[in-house]
Amino acid sequence: RRTSPTNSSGPPVGDLVGPTKLLSDFLASRSGPVNLVSDYDADGLSAAVLMESFLRRRGRPFTLRTPVQDRNIWDTPKERWLAPDAELAIVMDLGCRGDKLFPVPTLFIDHHKDNPPSEGDLLYAGYHREPVPTTAGLVWEMVQDEVPEKKWLAALGTYGDLGSKAPFEYLQ
């Protein structure tokens, strides 16, 4: 079962909107730099490199910030995670609390059980699926058409969180 992205009120953004269109529409909403923030484990870093590869292919400027030890980005200074020129943010594998994290529209991509995002933000999650995909797997769903040669990153992130026996096509 595919989990639809949610907005702040909780209902699906659109059952007919696939993950690739969701990402494309989100990026089209602003033309400036994108700020990426990801966890530092195998899943989070693989998700970040997948997203980075996608943005590079599209010629979109971005910055990547990865917390080395402090995974709780809500309780640390926002300037540490958000570049001053960022117009959008994508947070991967760090959860979604439901309160406003950044003053720019933010797309949360995560496989953990999360709260609905705050007003103006989006959450693309997989925790309602069986089996639950990793964050790298969710990002792969969004970018695979543009960077098919990076499938190994989805596999690496999945191996890091779930091991080699996880039942996902990109592990083959």
Side-chain angles (χ1 to χ4, degrees), residues 3-165:
T3 298
S4 297
T6 58
N7 63 20
S8 59
S9 59
V13 171
D15 289 331
L16 301 177
V17 174
T20 302
K21 182 161 176 32
L22 172 73
L23 179 60
S24 293
D25 289 352
F26 178 75
L27 292 172
S29 70
R30 305 264 176 107
S31 61
V34 180
N35 196 99
L36 305 176
V37 185
S38 76
D39 196 0
Y40 62 86
D41 66 2
D43 185 31
L45 289 176
S46 295
V49 175
L50 277 166
M51 188 62 71
E52 181 179 305
S53 298
F54 176 83
L55 294 173
R56 279 187 202 282
R57 181 81 35 99
R58 291 225 166 159
R60 187 71 180 257
F62 66 90
T63 58
L64 172 61
R65 311 248 169 126
T66 303
V68 176
Q69 294 177 344
D70 186 1
R71 289 180 172 168
N72 185 354
I73 60 175
W74 278 267
D75 296 333
T76 56
K78 304 304 178 255
E79 306 78 44
R80 186 171 167 188
W81 311 118
L82 186 67
D85 63 343
E87 291 189 15
L88 294 169
I90 300 175
V91 176
M92 296 163 283
D93 202 29
L94 289 166
C96 179
R97 275 193 182 174
D99 51 339
K100 191 73 175 162
L101 179 62
F102 296 131
V104 299
T106 302
L107 170 59
F108 294 91
I109 307 170
D110 209 308
H111 63 112
H112 301 102
K113 178 86 168 105
D114 292 308
N115 294 311
S118 65
E119 187 68 37
D121 294 340
L122 294 171
L123 169 64
Y124 186 65
Y127 55 83
H128 287 93
R129 298 190 206 172
E130 187 55 45
V132 176
T134 60
T135 300
L138 292 168
V139 173
W140 174 246
E141 292 175 359
M142 301 176 120
V143 305
Q144 64 184 320
D145 293 340
E146 190 96 18
V147 290
E149 72 281 4
K150 301 292 185 179
K151 179 169 95 170
W152 66 273
L153 286 163
L156 180 66
T158 299
Y159 275 33
D161 265 20
L162 304 177
S164 63
K165 296 192 187 312

